[in-house]
Amino acid sequence: MRLTVDGQTHEVDVEEDMPLLWVLRDEIGIKGVKYGCGIAQCGACTVHLDGVAVRSCQTWAIDAVGAEVTTINGLGTPAAMHAVQEAWAEHQVAQCGYCQSGQIMQAASMLAQIPDPTDEDIDAEMSGNLCRCGTYPQIRAAIVTAAAKLREA
């Protein structure tokens, strides 16, 4: 099976119904995608499939064939961070950091669809991403900052 992940093509020999999460982590070696719950309830495993946020623990490998998969590793680099990553650092969002790759991926997808989100938009779009550390006020502030940066670009 041929997958395009973070702009690179990968040939993987896996079952069609293997969760994309395990393909990314175990077959391709992308460790920025995290396992949280395995039932699409926490958001730690969020990646983009053709720009749309999906939970990779409940997305099958076959669903990614012919699509562009973007992980936190492909969203930006330390030298050229995505606006959401910059805002996350600026607002010092991460505490333990475990959920942050999923949070960032969900926020980036949301901002691509809703460039000027209201608090209600942020609540609705981010509600499926859980943070045990409770950094929700910093997450909201970072999203607002990122939205402004993206609108200025």
Side-chain angles (χ1 to χ4, degrees):
M1 171 176 325
R2 179 175 292 172
L3 301 179
T4 303
V5 181
D6 297 332
Q8 296 183 356
T9 302
H10 299 271
E11 289 286 339
V12 294
D13 184 19
V14 300
E15 297 294 324
E16 291 181 354
D17 63 349
M18 178 183 240
L20 181 59
L21 172 64
W22 300 128
V23 176
L24 295 171
R25 289 185 59 81
D26 297 343
E27 301 296 323
I28 299 174
I30 299 173
K31 302 300 186 194
V33 182
K34 304 297 184 188
Y35 173 80
C37 66
I39 58 172
Q41 297 298 301
C42 74
C45 67
T46 303
V47 299
H48 295 173
L49 198 60
D50 288 334
V52 178
V54 297
R55 304 302 186 252
S56 62
C57 71
Q58 293 293 304
T59 301
W60 310 134
I62 193 69
D63 296 332
V65 172
E68 175 64 36
V69 178
T70 306
T71 72
I72 190 73
N73 298 34
L75 189 64
T77 66
M81 289 192 285
H82 186 279
V84 175
Q85 293 168 313
E86 288 177 356
W88 242 249
E90 182 180 325
H91 288 275
Q92 299 179 1
V93 174
Q95 285 186 23
C96 85
Y98 197 82
C99 71
Q100 296 307 305
S101 63
Q103 298 273 4
I104 289 168
M105 296 304 290
Q106 183 69 39
S109 177
M110 174 188 62
L111 292 175
Q113 298 169 38
I114 307 170
D116 192 12
T118 64
D119 283 346
E120 292 78 20
D121 293 331
I122 294 170
D123 289 346
E125 294 293 320
M126 299 300 293
S127 66
N129 289 75
L130 304 179
C131 175
R132 289 184 183 189
C133 299
T135 63
Y136 299 112
Q138 294 96 320
I139 289 169
R140 179 183 305 284
I143 290 170
V144 170
T145 296
K149 288 177 187 240
L150 288 168
R151 287 192 307 272
E152 292 170 3

